[in-house]
Amino acid sequence: MPAPAVTVDVVQRYDDRSWSDDGPTRGVEKVVEAGRVLAFPNLPFALADSERRFLDPRWADVKAKNVSVRWPSGELRGAVGAADDLQALRAMIVRFAEQSEALALRLFPHYRGHLRRGNTSFRPTDVAGRVRSWRQDDTRLHIDAFPSNPMQGTRLLRVFTNVNPSGEPRRWRVGEPFEAHAKRYLGAIRRPLPGSAWLMATAGITKRRRTEYDHVMLQLHDRAKADAAFQSTSPQAHADFAPGTTWVCFSDQVLHAALGGQHMLEQTFLLDVEHLHRPETSPLRTLERLLQRPLR
Ligand SMILES: [Fe+2]
């Protein structure tokens, strides 16, 4: 594979050692909204001794992608085991959700009252072991966009933490800024077929209407993953997140790929564009500016 011509500087490191209100970093909305990854190399998610047994793929249902807790119900999904074990596993994941929320609200006080808790997931399986189609292959650079779950412009803010017990980093690649990425493919993207969004929502293919924003984001996701030259030669950098590291980014904006690693927790937060510190930095407003029309 030819080496990429340009590397990018996407990761911003902070020395915080606490999840709660007493940590030093706060008010960094501008940093995350600029498309950077905020990394906290000294912010581990502490497991109780009795929780270390959960660092094993046997707890994950082979049919499910992840073990997760869904909100607002708080229901555990995708896990297999005895009832008391699953209760303890759920408690661990819920604690991560609460600590992530405290961290996010300290880092981004502007989002208070507007940040909605999405799924909390626990991923005890090895990234490298997953056999998938090119479209589902997350070892290729992509922005997050989901065929069945249209976001309609709502942002995806994610908090990740590596809980690997044997020193193995979560290995990512990160890529070019969102606007440069959009410009790379936007000229080739056609408008959705009239009636197709209604049809997909009515048939239950999508959870809600796939807006033109969702259509463009899915096209960017798919075109990037299918483009071998882009994958190997576009501006990019490797980013390793060692065990004990927590990192935060808007995954609908940051080009990312997960190359390897095992045992991670991830919390998704949803945030409407108008509640960003600078809404014009969002993928929705960026695409609307480039296309010179609203994407509804
Ligand atoms: Fe992703």
Side-chain angles (χ1 to χ4, degrees):
M1 243 203 296
V6 185
T7 65
V8 291
D9 178 25
V10 174
V11 180
Q12 173 84 46
R13 288 185 166 73
Y14 298 92
D15 191 38
D16 299 46
R17 285 150 202 263
S18 164
W19 293 81
S20 55
D21 263 359
D22 56 353
T25 304
R26 56 192 67 231
V28 286
E29 293 88 348
K30 267 187 196 155
V31 182
V32 75
E33 289 178 14
R36 304 206 77 191
V37 177
L38 284 60
F40 302 88
N42 300 303
L43 191 55
F45 177 65
L47 299 184
D49 286 343
S50 62
E51 290 171 336
R52 298 198 177 279
R53 65 197 160 114
F54 295 131
L55 302 179
D56 187 319
R58 75 187 164 98
W59 300 98
D61 185 337
V62 287
K63 297 187 295 294
K65 196 174 161 192
N66 298 309
V67 177
S68 66
V69 170
R70 306 296 178 92
W71 303 100
S73 68
E75 180 197 356
L76 181 72
R77 297 259 196 106
V80 286
D84 54 343
D85 289 329
L86 293 185
Q87 196 178 10
L89 175 58
R90 180 184 172 280
M92 178 184 85
I93 299 171
V94 168
R95 192 172 74 252
F96 177 71
E98 289 164 354
Q99 294 193 3
S100 297
E101 193 162 296
L103 176 69
L105 292 176
R106 167 162 64 82
L107 297 176
F108 317 120
H110 188 81
Y111 305 160
R112 188 174 286 275
H114 306 295
L115 215 52
R116 306 195 301 278
R117 205 186 269 185
N119 293 345
T120 317
S121 77
F122 172 51
R123 307 181 191 181
T125 46
D126 197 324
V127 165
R130 292 181 178 178
V131 181
R132 357 196 86 218
S133 69
W134 65 267
R135 190 174 272 117
Q136 292 176 319
D137 180 2
D138 288 339
T139 69
R140 303 181 192 206
L141 284 166
H142 66 281
I143 48 159
D144 284 345
F146 316 110
S148 64
N149 192 13
M151 299 311 298
Q152 303 183 335
T154 297
R155 306 302 312 276
L156 286 165
L157 179 70
R158 291 187 148 169
V159 177
F160 305 88
T161 201
N162 182 354
V163 288
N164 188 284
S166 41
E168 190 189 353
R170 197 82 178 177
R171 293 185 295 114
W172 270 27
R173 281 190 296 154
V174 288
E176 63 194 355
F178 181 84
E179 181 163 343
H181 188 60
K183 285 177 175 165
R184 186 184 287 274
Y185 297 115
L186 219 42
I189 297 176
R190 301 228 169 92
R191 292 197 188 202
L193 293 173
S196 60
W198 175 85
L199 197 65
M200 284 186 287
T202 305
I205 295 166
T206 55
K207 290 182 188 171
R208 59 192 78 79
R209 195 172 64 84
R210 184 186 289 177
T211 65
E212 194 178 353
Y213 167 77
D214 293 301
H215 170 77
V216 173
M217 292 293 278
L218 272 175
Q219 284 282 315
L220 292 177
H221 171 277
D222 289 357
R223 283 169 188 270
K225 280 189 174 176
D227 185 344
F230 165 73
Q231 291 293 328
S232 59
T233 62
S234 69
Q236 57 190 277
H238 284 272
D240 280 2
F241 303 104
T245 301
T246 295
W247 63 107
V248 184
C249 70
F250 277 115
S251 64
D252 54 0
Q253 177 178 9
V254 175
L255 267 287
H256 63 282
L259 304 184
Q262 185 176 9
H263 305 304
M264 183 179 77
L265 284 145
E266 177 264 325
Q267 174 66 52
T268 297
F269 295 102
L270 307 175
L271 182 69
D272 290 334
V273 166
E274 61 266 32
H275 297 305
L276 291 166
H277 183 249
R278 293 176 59 216
E280 68 272 22
T281 61
S282 64
L284 175 64
R285 297 285 177 254
T286 302
L287 293 171
E288 287 181 333
R289 175 168 48 78
L290 293 173
L291 291 168
Q292 299 188 322
R293 56 192 166 84
L295 294 180
R296 289 190 281 253

